[in-house]
Amino acid sequence: MSARAVVKVGTSSVTTERGDLDLAALAKLADELAAARAAGHDVVLVLSGAIAAGLPALGLTSRPTDVRTLQAVAAVGQPMLVEQLRSLLAGHGIVPGQVLLDPYDFGQRSQYLHARETLLRLLELGVVPVVNENDTVADDEIRYGDNDRIAALVANMIGADTLVLLTDTDGLYTADPRRDATASLIEEIAAVDAELEAAAGGAGSARGSGGMASKLAAAKIASWSGVRTVIAAAGAADVVAGALGGSGVGTTVLPRGERLPGRKLWIAFALPSAGRVHVDAGAAAALVRSGGSLLAAGVRSVEGDFDAEDAVEIVAEDGRVVAKGLVRLDAATLRGVAGLRSGDLPEGAATAVVHRDDLVVMPEA
């Protein structure tokens, strides 16, 4: 089986300051994708830029803030972006295939499996899938803000070996190099922790809505998938080959030693949390140390209005989110049985509030 890679390119890397498509940058990207294919890699491209590409076509000089206009701009920009890339890849004898994804494709299990089979079949046919968030119709997807998280989830979905996040900086620095002359590039990260996430900051540019914080969040998801992540500058020479070949470009985030199964990764990172369940110290310890299920006896309070089978965060007494899982009771029912021992539950009530098979213990970092 060929090595698989997901390459994600941010808006600022394929558009000019004005917002027009940067044809030279797109040509470089096409060349590098072709080289990766020739080196034996199956590549999925996650490409941002639809909204930025559509702005000048509509005579707009700044990114709108209302969803309806954003959707309209994306509808104009998306075909422009893909057509330019198609023309450039054709010069290498490569056929791209557009795949638009939204939260439903990751949050609904049957859709997740269907999307995976579609991507894998495209790769079998020698196609380069070009994935984008479905800006034109999905309100929630626009609230995702950028494609970093989607790229990480796609990397898990297809069983990729490497996730390459291309941006307009060389990688993650110890401080903002634009403000601190002593800042140095972090070449390797063993684990994404709270300190790194706090140092990463916010959005990187006015044309895109991601930034180093979203890159680290994506790398964390990929790490839990057993996928190595490289964050590097899109403009660097042969950057994709360097990232895939392990030549030390940018910042590399290593995969965790223990790979989280696909379903649990889906629960942990793809499903939005519909509420919170606060638990006592004994229940938190049972979840974290013993890998047990969450029982009603350990529940102290319930936050939010959720249904059975929704994803909820499980919160310890000190406020830490210690786990996330699919709850078997709706919020109203759970409030009524919170604190009750199994023998005191109403007849027919679920014994486990969140079964261990549907539960993911979150890292302390």
Side-chain angles (χ1 to χ4, degrees), residues 286-310:
L287 297 178
V288 174
R289 298 174 192 166
S290 308
S293 300
L294 175 62
L295 305 180
V299 176
R300 299 187 64 187
S301 64
V302 177
E303 183 180 338
D305 183 17
F306 49 81
D307 295 322
E309 301 303 322
D310 280 348

Side-chain angles (χ1 to χ4, degrees), residues 128-220:
V128 171
V130 181
V131 174
N132 202 304
E133 54 188 345
N134 195 0
D135 284 335
T136 60
V137 297
D139 291 359
D140 286 343
E141 186 59 13
I142 287 178
R143 285 199 290 270
Y144 272 176
D146 77 302
N147 277 324
D148 292 320
R149 182 180 176 213
I150 288 178
L153 292 169
V154 168
N156 171 70
M157 182 182 277
I158 67 167
D161 303 284
T162 307
L163 168 64
V164 183
L165 301 175
L166 297 181
T167 183
D168 51 7
T169 62
D170 295 328
L172 179 65
Y173 281 78
T174 54
D176 188 340
R178 297 169 295 184
R179 301 175 184 175
D180 187 344
T182 67
S184 60
L185 180 69
I186 301 172
E187 295 184 356
E188 186 173 279
I189 297 171
V192 178
D193 57 23
E195 184 177 352
L196 276 173
E197 290 173 327
S205 73
R207 286 172 284 148
S209 51
M212 199 53 67
S214 70
K215 305 291 182 294
L216 275 182
K220 190 174 185 177

Side-chain angles (χ1 to χ4, degrees), residues 42-214:
D42 286 337
V43 181
V44 174
L45 175 65
V46 179
L47 186 61
S48 297
I51 291 175
L55 292 176
L58 293 175
L60 300 174
T61 57
S62 61
R63 184 184 176 101
T65 56
D66 65 291
V67 170
R68 289 182 64 197
T69 306
L70 282 171
Q71 290 173 324
V73 173
V76 172
Q78 182 64 27
M80 297 170 60
L81 185 64
V82 173
E83 174 54 29
Q84 287 291 347
L85 184 64
R86 184 207 63 77
S87 177
L88 292 165
L89 287 174
H92 297 281
I94 296 173
V95 177
Q98 180 173 274
V99 179
L100 297 178
L101 299 176
D102 60 38
Y104 181 71
D105 296 310
F106 295 104
Q108 210 282 336
R109 187 62 178 168
S110 62
Q111 281 298 109
Y112 182 90
L113 295 173
H114 178 71
R116 182 176 69 182
E117 291 306 310
T118 299
L119 288 170
L120 292 178
R121 183 58 180 148
L122 286 169
L123 293 175
E124 289 174 355
L125 293 170
V127 172
V128 171
V130 181
V131 174
N132 202 304
E133 54 188 345
N134 195 0
D135 284 335
T136 60
V137 297
D139 291 359
D140 286 343
E141 186 59 13
I142 287 178
R143 285 199 290 270
Y144 272 176
D146 77 302
N147 277 324
D148 292 320
R149 182 180 176 213
I150 288 178
L153 292 169
V154 168
N156 171 70
M157 182 182 277
I158 67 167
D161 303 284
T162 307
L163 168 64
V164 183
L165 301 175
L166 297 181
T167 183
D168 51 7
T169 62
D170 295 328
L172 179 65
Y173 281 78
T174 54
D176 188 340
R178 297 169 295 184
R179 301 175 184 175
D180 187 344
T182 67
S184 60
L185 180 69
I186 301 172
E187 295 184 356
E188 186 173 279
I189 297 171
V192 178
D193 57 23
E195 184 177 352
L196 276 173
E197 290 173 327
S205 73
R207 286 172 284 148
S209 51
M212 199 53 67
S214 70

Side-chain angles (χ1 to χ4, degrees), residues 217-257:
K220 190 174 185 177
I221 295 172
S223 177
W224 278 58
S225 306
V227 177
R228 181 177 67 97
T229 300
V230 178
I231 304 169
D238 300 319
V239 63
V240 173
L244 298 182
S247 65
V249 299
T251 299
T252 297
V253 181
L254 300 176
R256 286 167 53 93

